[in-house]
Amino acid sequence: MRYSKPLLRSGLTVAAAAALPLTLAGPAASGPGISVSTTGSTVSVTTTACAQLNGSWGTASLLDGSQSNFSQGRQVALSGTGSGQSAAWSDVRSGTHTVIVMCSNGTTAGTQSVVVADPAPRPAVSDPSPPTRGVLGGVGGGSTDYGTVTLVAGGALVGTGLLATVWYLRRRGKPNRL
């Protein structure tokens, strides 16, 4: 029995299926003149690839991991001069983002991924004031206040149990009489 051909065919099918999304996604490298940087939670992009058309340089879009096309991202108009254009986004959440720059003539100046790091953790602030109600312990109704009748009945049960235990142990300790 030979399984080499079906196994080879299925292996090639799996390889082609894995490569298809990479082919459709397009290049993730930066385009001509696009540069993306981060400072804290601010992401900025600069480019020299766009020309001004009807008073506009173009638009830049910031996409998070769940977004897949330009129109879904946070869009900002490019500003600048003929020697360079830029855009920036503030209060960007941590994670991997994609920046896409579209010039005003409809061409894509570039696409680049950027990672925004978590901000530095803030030191814990201790509260110097003492607790006002003390420590509340117990599970569920552990802090219920019982009435006098309940406490007397409980004490009577505990006392009866103690007396019965003492009586049983004393009787057991005596030798049997016939």
Side-chain angles (χ1 to χ4, degrees), residues 114-143:
V114 63
V115 176
V116 178
D118 287 328
R122 295 180 181 159
V125 178
S126 62
D127 186 13
S129 63
T132 57
R133 295 177 52 192
V135 177
L136 297 176
V139 177
S143 62

Side-chain angles (χ1 to χ4, degrees), residues 64-158:
D64 64 18
S66 65
Q67 298 168 328
S68 59
N69 63 33
F70 185 85
S71 63
Q72 293 174 333
R74 289 173 54 184
Q75 297 180 14
V76 176
L78 292 173
S79 61
T81 63
S83 60
Q85 304 84 42
S86 64
W89 299 267
S90 59
D91 297 324
V92 178
R93 293 185 180 181
S94 61
T96 302
H97 300 274
T98 303
V99 176
I100 303 172
V101 176
M102 293 282 275
C103 296
S104 57
N105 64 2
T107 61
T108 303
T111 301
Q112 186 172 346
S113 294
V114 63
V115 176
V116 178
D118 287 328
R122 295 180 181 159
V125 178
S126 62
D127 186 13
S129 63
T132 57
R133 295 177 52 192
V135 177
L136 297 176
V139 177
S143 62
T144 302
D145 187 19
Y146 294 105
T148 307
V149 175
T150 306
L151 292 176
V152 170
L157 285 173
V158 170

Side-chain angles (χ1 to χ4, degrees), residues 47-48 50 52 57 80-85:
T47 184
T48 57
C50 295
Q52 192 172 25
W57 295 101
T81 63
S83 60
Q85 304 84 42

